[in-house]
Amino acid sequence: QKEVEQNSGPLSVPEGAIASLNCTYSDRVSQSFFWYRQYSGKSPELIMSIYSNGDKEDGRFTAQLNKASQYVSLLIRDSQPSDSATYLCAVVERGFKTIFGAGTRLFVKA
Amino acid sequence: EAQVTQNPRYLITVTGKKLTVTCSQNMNHEYMSWYRQDPGLGLRQIYYSMNVEVTDKGDVPEGYKVSRKEKRNFPLILESPSPNQTSLYFCASSIHPTATEAFFGQGTRLTVV
């Protein structure tokens, strides 16, 4: 079993819709969770970080964390074509090792 | 400008010829790490360093070496590169891995023939 799992996609949504990206992790003591966006050929850049159960909102983005279910998600409201990218879930495990999921490709159709 | 700088950006080399990819950050970050990115596998951590002279293995350390003699620099060394090390490599730094975002370098595309 992979330590951090994401649906590889591609996930295709129409412009203006809500895109929902999901991630599960296996290390129960993980405390820090991050969502990065990566455009093709570019470096990853941080979208959201979340550390406690519940929702965290930042503009059009909402991160949700459920430690009991070992599940973290990212919602993108009012999706725009510029949101088309690969979204990477990252989990920092005990000992400070960082594990990334394989990423979900998102396409937003104009 | 705060940044992580990797060099070279592109490198083609032959099997067995030692090479070093440099990484330097100007943000006084404690934590630095190296990743490789391969299609379908995402980013996999090779090595990380919590501070000067402190390094630890990530998920895929075989065939790689690192050193952290200065806080700002974290070079990645391939003593005897092989074709399966052909990949896109990223260096990243952060104040602390659990509390803050990581800043990534521009990436180094390595091809070993």
Side-chain angles (χ1 to χ4, degrees), chain A residues 77-97:
Chain A
R77 290 181 299 281
D78 188 23
S79 296
Q80 301 296 310
S82 59
D83 294 325
S84 298
T86 296
Y87 289 80
L88 303 167
C89 172
V91 176
V92 181
E93 298 186 336
R94 70 188 87 190
F96 307 128
K97 183 189 293 187

Side-chain angles (χ1 to χ4, degrees), chain A residues 2-3 31-32 34 36 38 41-46 51 88 92-103, chain B residues 9 31 35 37 40-45 48 50 57-59 88 90 96-102 104-107:
Chain A
K2 289 185 180 178
E3 294 170 84
Q31 294 295 317
S32 303
F34 302 90
Y36 288 85
Q38 186 177 26
K42 301 295 186 182
S43 307
E45 55 182 348
L46 184 74
Y51 308 102
L88 303 167
V92 181
E93 298 186 336
R94 70 188 87 190
F96 307 128
K97 183 189 293 187
T98 304
I99 308 293
F100 279 81
Chain B
R9 293 289 310 279
Y31 186 79
Y35 299 88
Q37 187 171 36
L41 297 177
L43 284 158
R44 292 181 292 167
Q45 195 172 40
Y48 60 98
M50 288 296 295
K57 296 178 180 178
D59 274 346
L88 177 60
F90 287 103
H96 192 278
T98 62
T100 64
E101 69 174 292
F104 284 81
Q106 320 95 302

Side-chain angles (χ1 to χ4, degrees), chain B residues 13 36-39 44 64 78 81-89 109-113:
Chain B
T13 190
R36 61 176 290 173
Q37 187 171 36
D38 302 289
R44 292 181 292 167
Y64 303 95
L78 285 72
S82 62
N84 64 13
Q85 293 179 297
T86 293
S87 187
L88 177 60
Y89 291 85
R109 187 164 293 281
L110 172 66
T111 302
V112 183
V113 299

Side-chain angles (χ1 to χ4, degrees), chain B residues 20-86:
Chain B
T20 299
V21 184
T22 63
C23 174
S24 181
Q25 50 94 3
N26 62 1
M27 295 167 280
N28 201 36
H29 285 169
E30 301 284 341
Y31 186 79
M32 297 186 73
S33 58
W34 276 102
Y35 299 88
R36 61 176 290 173
Q37 187 171 36
D38 302 289
L41 297 177
L43 284 158
R44 292 181 292 167
Q45 195 172 40
I46 302 170
Y47 271 94
Y48 60 98
S49 170
M50 288 296 295
N51 211 327
V52 175
E53 302 293 1
V54 179
T55 62
D56 279 297
K57 296 178 180 178
D59 274 346
V60 287
E62 295 78 21
Y64 303 95
K65 287 176 59 177
V66 292
S67 68
R68 188 90 181 272
K69 293 183 169 55
E70 304 167 284
K71 197 172 187 178
R72 64 182 292 125
N73 296 322
F74 192 43
L76 179 70
I77 303 157
L78 285 72
E79 294 271 4
S80 183
S82 62
N84 64 13
Q85 293 179 297
T86 293

Side-chain angles (χ1 to χ4, degrees), chain A residues 33-50:
Chain A
F33 308 86
F34 302 90
W35 283 100
Y36 288 85
R37 177 176 63 199
Q38 186 177 26
Y39 293 112
S40 181
K42 301 295 186 182
S43 307
E45 55 182 348
L46 184 74
I47 297 295
M48 294 283 288
S49 59
I50 188 165

